[in-house]
């Protein structure tokens, strides 16, 4: 079953995960101030090790394998190699090799498995679930020109795939590694999120600037529940909670962390950013149910006018703490503990959340 996706621009932005915002204006919570000089530790923290990369073989940076090891991909002797570099020890090692072109590498939240997205043909993708010892656990081939992937946080055996075709129609599948089955799902939203092990959250939307309504689908019973949460322009889930972004007006977004029944746990506001045809909202990094890392713009406006006017915030139990200012609009990926985050379009920048400093952790030899 194919459905025709109505907005090409939204696909591009959501697939790349790029998004932004502004200095938040909390409705109930206070922004934590910078600690006074007396409160700061007198012991200087160690500087992270810097990785020397060969630009002729380096491919891309993927994500964190754990709290100190950054996963990257390079190509040597005809093989694409998935490796890690430890910013605390300076050590590096290979995790997995493949002859096929590696498009992306995802790390499961348990940090026990990697998902390697490969392709040797323009209209087909091969997905391999790999253990940390390099053993392939599952392999599935999907016809697609572009592929969006959502890995179930609770159960690594379950994966959502959205397969886009040349005409931007799409098919939505759920993969179950328990029996290696691939089942199609009837849903108009091409970018659903897992809400626990057997439910997914989607959005019914007419126009990106107007927002949509949240719907929850039970995959076992096929029940589709439409909620009363409207004007939603972005959502993301973590176990039994989800974060909702709603458009207030041309200059403001409302963020709320909610239970799955829709009840609000805490909320805050941020300035709105758009690209003229749609709102631009960040891919939020969940650390746990009570902590999120969010990137936001200094002011509301158009995406192409922002430059390096983006900030990083830690949201903890509803309290908003500024970590760093003056960053670009690129994505951010954080360690499980939230101590470090990779930042930027190429993830070459390292943010130490605890010390509120940034480093260039990778250097390319000329």
């Amino acid at each position: 079953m194919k459905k025709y996706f109505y907005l090409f621009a939204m696909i591009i932005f959501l697939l790349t995960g790029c998004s932004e915002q502004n200095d938040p204006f909390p409705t109930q919570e206070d922004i934590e101030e910078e600690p006074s000089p007396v409160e700061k530790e007198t012991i200087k923290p160690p500087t992270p090790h810097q990785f020397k990369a060969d630009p002729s073989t380096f491919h891309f940076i993927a994500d964190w394998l754990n709290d100190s090891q950054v996963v990257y991909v390079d190509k040597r002797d005809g093989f694409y190699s998935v490796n890690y570099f430890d910013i605390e020890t300076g050590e590096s090692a290979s995790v997995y090799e493949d002859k096929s072109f590696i498009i992306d590498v995802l790390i499961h939240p348990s940090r026990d498995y990697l998902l390697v997205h490969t392709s040797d043909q323009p209209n087909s993708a091969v997905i391999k679930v790999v253990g940390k010892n390099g053993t392939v656990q599952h392999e599935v081939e999907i016809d697609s020109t572009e592929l969006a992937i959502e890995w179930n946080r609770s159960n690594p055996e379950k994966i959502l795939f959205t397969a886009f075709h040349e005409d931007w129609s799409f098919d939505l599948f759920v993969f179950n590694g328990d029996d290696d089955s691939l089942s199609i799902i009837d849903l108009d939203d091409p970018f659903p999120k897992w809400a626990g092990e057997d439910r997914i959250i989607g959005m019914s939307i007419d126009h990106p600037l107007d927002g949509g309504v949240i719907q929850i689908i039970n995959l076992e019973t096929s029940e589709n529940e439409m909620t009363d949460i409207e004007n939603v322009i972005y959502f993301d889930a973590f176990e039994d909670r989800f974060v909702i972004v709603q458009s207030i007006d041309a200059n403001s977004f409302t963020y709320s962390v909610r239970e799955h029944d829709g009840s609000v746990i805490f909320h805050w506001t941020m300035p709105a950013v758009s690209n003229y045809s749609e709102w631009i909202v960040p891919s939020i990094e969940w650390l746990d149910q009570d902590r999120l890392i969010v990137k936001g713009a200094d002011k509301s406006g158009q995406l192409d006018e922002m430059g390096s006017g983006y900030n990083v915030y830690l949201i903890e139990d509803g309290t908003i703490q500024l970590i760093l200012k003056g960053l670009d609009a690129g994505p951010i990926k954080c360690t499980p503990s939230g101590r470090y985050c990779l930042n930027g379009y190429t993830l070459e920048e390292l943010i130490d959340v605890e010390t509120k400093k940034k480093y260039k952790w990778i250097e390319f030899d000329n």
Side-chain angles (χ1 to χ4, degrees):
M1 179 208 63
K2 294 186 178 179
K3 300 165 283 291
Y4 285 83
F5 187 46
Y6 42 80
L7 193 57
F8 176 81
M10 172 176 276
I11 294 175
I12 300 301
F13 275 95
L14 288 173
L15 281 175
T16 56
C18 170
S19 30
E20 304 60 54
Q21 288 120 277
N22 177 33
D23 238 333
F25 302 99
T27 54
Q28 296 176 343
E29 301 80 13
D30 294 327
I31 297 178
E32 293 186 0
E33 299 293 335
E34 287 274 1
S36 65
V38 177
E39 295 173 328
K40 292 184 178 180
E41 295 182 6
T42 56
I43 301 176
K44 185 178 180 180
T47 301
H49 287 264
Q50 190 175 65
F51 177 57
K52 301 294 184 180
D54 183 348
S56 66
T57 60
F58 194 82
H59 196 26
F60 65 87
I61 300 163
D63 203 345
W64 294 94
L65 188 60
N66 53 38
D67 278 329
S68 63
Q69 295 173 347
V70 181
V71 174
Y72 67 94
V73 177
D74 64 10
K75 183 181 181 181
R76 297 177 184 272
D77 301 323
F79 283 87
Y80 287 90
S81 179
V82 180
N83 318 295
Y84 71 78
F85 173 77
D86 196 309
I87 62 169
E88 293 184 351
T89 67
E91 299 175 342
S92 60
S94 177
V95 179
Y96 173 75
E97 287 187 339
D98 203 300
K99 287 186 177 181
S100 297
F101 181 84
I102 294 181
I103 295 174
D104 199 5
V105 176
L106 280 64
I107 314 297
H108 189 263
S110 67
R111 310 293 156 169
D112 291 329
Y113 301 97
L114 296 83
L115 186 151
V116 183
H117 175 187
T118 69
S119 180
D120 289 323
Q121 302 177 24
N123 297 318
S124 179
V126 176
I127 306 301
K128 300 171 185 177
V129 177
V130 181
K132 289 195 296 185
N133 61 358
T135 303
V136 176
Q137 308 290 322
H138 302 289
E139 183 172 330
V140 58
E141 184 173 358
I142 299 176
D143 292 335
S144 63
T145 55
E146 297 283 348
L147 193 65
I149 304 170
E150 284 291 327
W151 210 345
N152 191 293
R153 179 178 293 271
S154 305
N155 185 352
E157 297 295 328
K158 295 186 176 182
I159 309 169
L160 285 173
F161 295 112
T162 305
F164 294 95
H165 308 294
E166 289 183 354
D167 58 1
W168 291 107
S169 63
F170 67 89
D171 295 314
L172 182 62
F173 301 97
V174 59
F175 173 77
N176 190 336
D178 290 332
D179 55 9
D180 285 330
S181 62
L182 193 66
S183 304
I184 199 164
I185 301 175
D186 185 12
L187 187 67
D188 290 333
D189 184 357
F191 301 108
K193 306 281 187 179
W194 286 103
E197 187 170 340
D198 298 309
R199 297 195 303 170
I200 59 175
I201 295 178
M203 187 164 62
S204 175
I205 187 169
D206 292 325
H207 191 280
L209 289 176
D210 297 331
V213 179
I214 289 294
Q215 55 183 325
I216 301 176
I217 299 93
N218 188 313
L219 295 179
E220 290 194 336
T221 64
S222 298
E223 293 180 353
N224 189 335
E225 174 191 350
M226 297 296 293
T227 71
D228 59 358
I229 308 174
E230 301 177 333
N231 305 118
V232 177
I233 57 175
Y234 180 89
F235 65 94
D236 197 10
F238 185 99
E239 296 178 356
D240 60 352
R241 291 187 178 182
F242 55 91
V243 61
I244 296 294
V245 183
Q246 296 165 293
S247 58
I248 302 175
D249 51 46
N251 298 312
S252 301
F253 291 154
T254 292
Y255 285 64
S256 58
V257 173
R258 302 173 181 243
E259 302 284 1
H260 279 178
D261 62 6
S263 58
V264 178
I265 302 169
F266 54 85
H267 59 98
W268 68 97
T269 62
M270 282 186 168
V273 176
S274 75
N275 73 340
Y276 300 96
S277 63
E278 64 178 338
W279 299 113
I280 303 300
V281 183
S283 52
I284 296 168
E285 282 283 293
W286 289 89
L287 304 180
D288 52 47
Q289 288 196 2
D290 300 311
R291 296 186 303 148
L292 307 93
I293 295 286
V294 176
K295 179 179 279 193
D298 254 341
K299 60 182 180 180
S300 60
Q302 301 299 326
L303 176 65
D304 56 7
E305 300 171 352
M306 293 299 167
S308 59
Y310 292 84
N311 309 326
V312 171
Y313 303 93
L314 171 65
I315 316 293
E316 186 169 10
D317 292 321
T319 301
I320 303 174
Q321 180 183 1
L322 173 65
I323 303 301
L324 273 177
K325 302 185 73 173
L327 304 173
D328 65 27
I332 192 165
K333 294 178 181 284
C334 301
T335 59
S337 69
R339 169 63 189 274
Y340 298 110
C341 295
L342 301 176
N343 176 70
Y345 292 109
T346 57
L347 302 177
E348 295 180 15
E349 199 167 58
L350 176 71
I351 295 173
D352 188 327
V353 175
E354 185 175 306
T355 64
K356 300 183 178 181
K357 294 183 178 180
K358 62 180 179 179
Y359 306 87
K360 188 173 182 181
W361 71 273
I362 183 170
E363 187 73 31
F364 290 94
D365 294 331
N366 294 324

